[in-house]
Amino acid sequence: MTEIAHPDSILIIDFGSQVTQLIARRVREAGVYCEIHPFNNAEEAFARMGPKGVIFSGGPASVTAEGSPRAPQAVFDSGIPLLGICYGQQTMCTQLGGTVEGGHAAEFGRADVEIRAASPLFEGLWEVGGRYPVWMSHGDRVTQLPHGFEVIATSENAPFAIAADESRRYYTTMFHPEVVHTPDGARLLSNFVHKIVGLKSDWTMAAYRAEMIRKIREDVGDGRVICGLSGGVDSSVAAVLIHEAIGDQLTCVFVDHGMMRLNEADEVIKMFRDHYNIPLVHVDASDLFLTELAGEVDPEIKRKIIGRLFIEVFEAEAAKIAADGKGAPAFLAQGTLYPDVIESVSFSGGPSVTIKSHHNVGGLPARMNMKLVEPLRELFKDEVRVLGRELGLPERFVGRHPFPGPGLAIRCPGGVTREKLDILRKADAVYLDEIRKAGLYDVIWQAFAVLLPVQTVGVMGDYRTYDFVCALRAVTSVDGMTADFYPYDMNFLGRTATRIINEVRGINRVVYDVTSKPPGTIEWE
């Protein structure tokens, strides 16, 4: 594993909140490195990291229930600053001798907190006597504070909306500062890491790039690295970064499964071979993939087929590379991101495995016997884009909307055929072209077309048609965890639908999907 030591860091102890990742994003936006670890692994992580401060996340459990999650005692014994959020407040207060009770009025959604006393937690943000909007999500509440704590702010249903022990630098909030619905929440978290913990804003992509290049060279030495290039942002940024570190010791294998967007495979080949001069093996395996997918309609089985074939093709190419007389690759490069790492150690199980399958096609088998090089495993998606810009990748490529590993196979519900994929590719290209012309591409987080498994009767000029229905999807997202549909005006939709129907043979009707998505389920099928 390619990891960097971070002497000035924040540990976030995860108690199962669906928005814990947002805490980490806000801390990193403040220029401070942090890591998330589940409560049941927190003691080991705390000892390994030696963090300068700790944040307790929210969570779905009740502190009053037997066996509910707790923070390790070592954290309290350390004397470093602590911040507890929602459940984090409740377990901190319970573990320090306070009382938490259920049965009181719950508080979900927007609320106002009234500031009763000054605190460095909101210095420069809120004034004593003022009322400020926050986002609550709790059933239980603290009814008695531990010794040394004082009330800093209250809300209608949370008498201890903010409580702190300033002498020990322990701070707690009943509301969630990490979500965008708490307008000043990001600045509050910034105050914690800067004013209370005392860390500087030295987490930058320039520094990360330089340190990661040094680490890759140290780990790889004179060995060879093979990278599975999907054409997406993650694997591409990883490949460029590794190539900058070790040059032609890296070979990229681009397995083209035939389900990429229009001209995307050609763009990948041109950029890596011509622009970056990175050794690249292009394998056109589209016939193999389409043959195996023929007649399959279950999306989960589609993913498994694609994942299995990807591994088989990649493994065959790796064997050819090993036989070229230059020595077998000893390292495998992957574009693993920090959310993948978090989900892989999640204590709660939950839906993360299913959700992840929307975006991943599976790992490589242990029999390949290679050490991993994962230069992005500490980064969130938006940080990968920043690193890509730092490395000089074209903005059109770095800012590309997310695209799942199985590609158009899951945007073509029902059976997958070459004809249907070609229809979908053309419709998707028209749609994205109109979005770019309208100046909306960077406003929208993700947009794509879907070829529905239904055909309808239509009239085009003097002819009846019996063609497919195309659905258009566009969502906005601040954090990549929740999404809402983009509110196009009717002129845009009318113009786009007209172009698709006129230019793409095989489609006679276009609809727009206006559903929203809860946390963790950005992809639509």
Side-chain angles (χ1 to χ4, degrees), residues 123-437:
E123 182 180 325
L125 302 177
W126 297 342
E127 297 180 353
V128 176
R131 295 176 64 86
Y132 302 94
V134 298
W135 191 261
M136 295 281 192
S137 181
H138 66 92
D140 298 347
R141 74 184 189 192
V142 177
T143 55
Q144 181 180 339
L145 291 172
H147 177 73
F149 278 73
E150 295 182 356
V151 177
I152 304 296
T154 62
S155 72
E156 183 176 355
N157 290 311
F160 307 128
I162 302 178
D165 182 339
E166 299 280 6
S167 64
R168 287 188 287 182
R169 295 183 298 172
Y170 291 174
Y171 298 84
T172 68
T173 69
M174 195 66 260
F175 58 88
H176 288 267
E178 68 272 29
V179 301
V180 295
H181 306 84
T182 299
D184 294 321
R187 295 174 65 190
L188 186 149
L189 288 169
S190 177
N191 273 358
F192 176 72
V193 299
H194 292 314
K195 296 180 182 295
I196 296 172
V197 181
L199 298 181
K200 297 178 181 179
S201 296
D202 54 8
W203 168 250
T204 66
M205 279 303 107
Y208 184 87
R209 171 188 181 183
E211 181 61 17
M212 183 52 71
I213 287 173
R214 183 199 66 77
K215 192 69 171 64
I216 292 170
R217 289 171 179 164
E218 178 185 292
D219 290 349
V220 172
D222 59 0
R224 298 182 73 186
V225 179
I226 187 171
C227 176
L229 192 65
S230 69
V233 175
D234 304 335
S235 64
S236 298
V237 171
V240 173
L241 180 63
I242 294 169
H243 185 256
E244 186 169 305
I246 61 172
D248 289 351
Q249 290 171 243
L250 169 71
T251 300
C252 292
V253 176
F254 173 35
V255 178
D256 183 355
H257 52 31
M259 286 164 284
M260 300 184 73
R261 290 171 285 207
L262 188 67
N263 300 324
E264 200 164 45
D266 292 339
E267 291 173 4
V268 171
I269 295 168
K270 182 176 181 180
M271 184 173 74
F272 280 85
R273 280 185 179 164
D274 300 345
H275 184 72
Y276 284 101
N277 197 31
I278 296 176
L280 173 67
V281 176
H282 173 221
V283 185
D284 183 354
S286 56
D287 288 342
L288 172 64
F289 279 81
L290 288 174
T291 298
E292 292 271 349
L293 287 168
E296 184 55 61
V297 299
D298 187 303
E300 288 298 323
I301 296 178
K302 285 182 186 178
R303 291 192 191 95
K304 291 176 181 177
I305 291 172
I306 292 170
R308 173 177 58 79
L309 292 177
F310 180 89
I311 291 170
E312 292 174 2
V313 174
F314 186 91
E315 200 171 8
E317 293 304 317
K320 293 178 184 177
I321 293 171
D324 65 4
K326 299 178 182 178
F331 298 88
L332 170 67
Q334 294 185 161
T336 307
L337 300 190
Y338 192 48
D340 300 323
V341 177
I342 296 169
E343 290 170 352
S344 70
V345 298
S346 173
F347 68 87
S348 57
S352 65
V353 174
T354 300
I355 292 171
K356 281 187 66 178
S357 73
H358 285 231
H359 308 278
N360 297 281
V361 295
L364 293 172
R367 63 177 177 271
M368 294 192 72
N369 193 29
M370 294 181 184
K371 296 179 181 178
L372 286 177
V373 178
E374 298 174 305
L376 310 182
R377 64 180 283 113
E378 296 180 356
L379 303 182
F380 287 103
K381 186 76 172 187
D382 56 327
E383 293 172 326
V384 173
R385 296 187 192 280
V386 174
L387 178 59
R389 296 183 182 100
E390 178 72 25
L391 290 165
L393 271 76
E395 182 60 36
R396 184 180 177 92
F397 187 88
V398 174
R400 183 178 290 169
H401 289 178
F403 193 56
L408 297 180
I410 61 169
R411 294 179 181 174
C412 189
V416 178
T417 66
R418 192 178 296 277
E419 178 188 13
K420 289 170 68 176
L421 289 173
D422 287 341
I423 293 171
L424 176 56
R425 245 188 290 272
K426 293 172 185 176
D428 189 69
V430 171
Y431 180 33
L432 294 180
D433 182 56
E434 284 297 322
I435 289 174
R436 291 186 185 278
K437 286 180 178 178

